[in-house]
Amino acid sequence: MTSTPSATPSGTFQLGGDLPVTRLGYGAMQITGEGVWGEPRDRAEAVAVLRRAVELGVTFFDTADSYGPNVSEEIIREALHPYADDVVIATKAGLTRTGPGEWIPVGRPAYLKQQVELSLRKLDVERIDLIQLHRIDAEVPVAEQVGAFKELQDAGKVRHIGLSEVSVAELEQAQETAEIVSVQNLFNLTDRSAEELLDHATAAGIAFIPWFPLATGGLVKDGGPLEKLAAEHDATPSQLALAWLLKRSPVMLPIPGTSTVSHLEDNVGAAAIELTDEQFAAMDAIA
């Protein structure tokens, strides 16, 4: 594509019915070091990626206190603060870090509240647009974990509440304590283990945020399953994989992450791709 890409053609979704976001977003896990630990290799490029994303019409940014930890949120503030009126930042709490690649669920209400207070400071905002429970802690009742966020919501420090890596039953259990406006599970063209949750979310009008939407590069590598189809459509495999997600459900909010401006621009180009039903079915068959 020779023209400047834009996320805008991906359409808009209203989080919680009142918070519009452009559907093709950005996941900020990769603007950290190896193992999602510490500083990125090139902090200036990470800042440039975030600023370029806004220029290209991306309004939905997904991060977490555990990315770095803290690093991702701090770079978002450095790059984007003061935030444009239409920029929506989703963050998460509920996983603590002991080293690169290590993630431990901690769902004690006092800890969750503390982490949200820290995220407010790191992002330099008065209210978190979307706080997500990063993982359900099996040692703590779900009502207590979600209830911690509900208390912060009632205090005006959280606008909306979401969940990450849950089943339909866990979603319904959480909904007994607070309104849940989004779920974030692993989902892509070749891993559809969360299909039941996606269908449930679609019917309920709840945002579905697929993490690893490109299967961490496996879908889009040279010789990968999408290479031939991409050539036929004058697109890249990454763009096709994202276009498939956007067509799969109107509640889908893909958040491809990258640490380079060039890769970001390629991903954003997916917003302009309109798959026919036949093309969608052909991609469906690949998996």
Side-chain angles (χ1 to χ4, degrees):
M1 294 188 181
T2 53
S3 59
T4 302
S6 170
T8 305
S10 67
T12 302
F13 181 83
Q14 300 271 349
L15 274 172
D18 66 3
L19 187 58
V21 295
T22 300
R23 288 181 61 208
L24 186 59
Y26 175 81
M29 189 172 75
Q30 292 191 33
I31 53 170
T32 61
E34 191 172 344
V36 200
W37 185 262
E39 287 285 322
R41 188 179 67 256
D42 188 339
R43 189 178 178 108
E45 179 76 359
V47 168
V49 166
L50 291 164
R51 290 176 177 166
R52 183 62 173 151
V54 171
E55 291 173 358
L56 299 180
V58 174
T59 64
F60 182 59
F61 293 83
D62 179 83
T63 185
D65 64 346
S66 55
Y67 294 168
N70 307 325
V71 174
S72 179
E73 289 183 333
E74 290 168 356
I75 293 178
I76 286 174
R77 180 190 63 201
E78 177 185 341
L80 302 182
H81 193 275
Y83 305 106
D85 290 343
D86 60 350
V87 165
V88 172
I89 299 174
T91 192
K92 310 180 198 73
L95 284 178
T96 191
R97 305 297 303 282
T98 53
E102 296 175 2
W103 310 79
I104 300 170
V106 177
R108 295 190 302 276
Y111 175 77
L112 294 175
K113 291 179 190 175
Q114 165 194 290
Q115 294 308 108
V116 172
E117 295 285 357
L118 290 172
S119 288
L120 286 166
R121 274 194 274 172
K122 282 176 286 183
L123 291 166
D124 196 4
V125 294
E126 294 184 356
R127 180 175 66 173
I128 301 291
D129 293 323
L130 173 64
I131 185 67
Q132 302 159 90
L133 182 61
H134 210 155
R135 288 293 185 278
I136 290 176
D137 182 348
E139 303 297 316
V140 180
V142 170
E144 291 184 16
Q145 296 174 70
V146 176
F149 290 159
K150 180 68 166 64
E151 287 181 31
L152 292 166
Q153 186 179 49
D154 291 342
K157 295 181 178 182
V158 163
R159 181 162 179 170
H160 289 304
I161 299 170
L163 304 171
S164 180
E165 276 306 305
V166 293
S167 65
V168 171
E170 288 168 335
L171 166 61
E172 291 176 336
Q173 186 179 6
Q175 286 172 317
E176 295 173 6
T177 301
E179 180 186 4
I180 304 300
V181 308
S182 69
V183 288
Q184 180 167 163
N185 277 47
L186 172 63
F187 190 84
N188 55 59
L189 182 60
T190 57
D191 187 333
R192 310 200 202 159
S193 51
E195 199 117 42
E196 181 186 4
L197 180 67
L198 171 60
D199 291 340
H200 181 89
T202 302
I206 294 171
F208 185 96
I209 307 167
W211 61 271
F212 286 173
L214 299 176
T216 50
L219 274 175
V220 298
K221 64 188 177 188
D222 288 343
L226 296 181
E227 191 173 57
K228 183 172 180 289
L229 270 176
E232 293 173 4
H233 297 306
D234 191 26
T236 67
S238 295
Q239 290 168 346
L240 277 192
L242 293 169
W244 181 86
L245 286 170
L246 288 167
K247 189 173 175 67
R248 174 62 180 79
S249 169
V251 306
M252 189 83 78
L253 306 180
I255 48 165
T258 178
S259 57
T260 68
V261 170
S262 60
H263 193 196
L264 167 74
E265 292 177 344
D266 181 70
N267 287 341
V268 170
I273 296 176
E274 293 186 34
L275 296 174
T276 65
D277 291 343
E278 292 78 10
Q279 291 165 344
F280 180 84
M283 291 183 65
D284 229 22
I286 284 176

